[in-house]
Amino acid sequence: MGAGNTGRLGSLILGGVSTFVVHHSTVPTLVVHRSPIEGRDRLRLVVGTDGSAAAELSVDTLIAVASTQRCNVFVRSVVEPQTAPPPGLQGFATVPSDESERMLTEQGRDADRYVSAAPERLARAGFQCDGDVVRSHAEVAFLDAVR
């Protein structure tokens, strides 16, 4: 599905139809936001991974449909810090900070494993690929990755 935004604000977000489809689709949905940046001969494809079956399917789909000669792949996994209880759960018990740090460390190890596995699969399929793990909120981390 293409996102056909125009203008300054439109270049930062998906179009209304694309946003609706992504949020309501019951099948994997690929959104192509823009053409390659002028002067670059390769597309930069960003794949998020959390080790889930859906993330594995996104890597499989990318391998099946993308061109190894025209695409560089960047894999990102995000470890989100719990800075506040989720909406609606304020007042309930929160995880003590030592326990919270232990959980983040464990999540970071898992994320490192995911970010190692996906690029290995992509490299075996012939893609130029790199990736990283960031501690951030997912929205910020992925906006940063696609710039």
Side-chain angles (χ1 to χ4, degrees):
M1 160 166 257
N5 291 316
T6 58
R8 281 184 265 164
L9 182 59
S11 67
L12 297 175
I13 59 174
L14 293 177
V17 173
S18 299
T19 300
F20 180 85
V21 171
V22 166
H23 286 93
H24 294 89
S25 177
T26 58
V27 297
T29 304
L30 171 68
V31 176
V32 178
H33 186 61
R34 61 178 176 190
S35 59
I37 295 172
E38 195 168 321
R40 288 189 189 171
D41 60 343
R42 299 176 71 85
L43 292 169
R44 176 180 165 95
L45 302 176
V46 176
V47 178
T49 185
D50 59 4
S52 68
E56 293 296 312
L57 181 59
S58 70
V59 172
D60 293 342
T61 302
L62 188 144
I63 290 169
V65 302
S67 165
T68 58
Q69 286 75 42
R70 297 233 334 116
C71 301
N72 292 333
V73 181
F74 183 76
V75 178
R76 176 159 281 179
S77 188
V78 179
V79 177
E80 289 193 277
Q82 291 297 320
T83 55
L89 296 180
Q90 293 82 0
F92 285 88
T94 57
V95 178
S97 62
D98 288 347
E99 179 67 10
S100 178
E101 189 58 36
R102 185 193 64 72
M103 288 171 53
L104 284 174
T105 300
E106 187 175 306
Q107 290 171 358
R109 278 193 294 268
D110 289 344
D112 286 336
R113 192 173 65 249
Y114 305 146
V115 161
S116 295
E120 287 171 7
R121 288 179 52 214
L122 289 157
R124 282 193 304 270
F127 287 93
Q128 294 178 13
C129 185
D130 63 342
D132 67 5
V133 175
V134 295
R135 272 192 176 191
S136 181
H137 294 282
E139 298 87 353
V140 173
F142 284 104
L143 277 176
D144 178 58
V146 298
R147 290 184 185 169

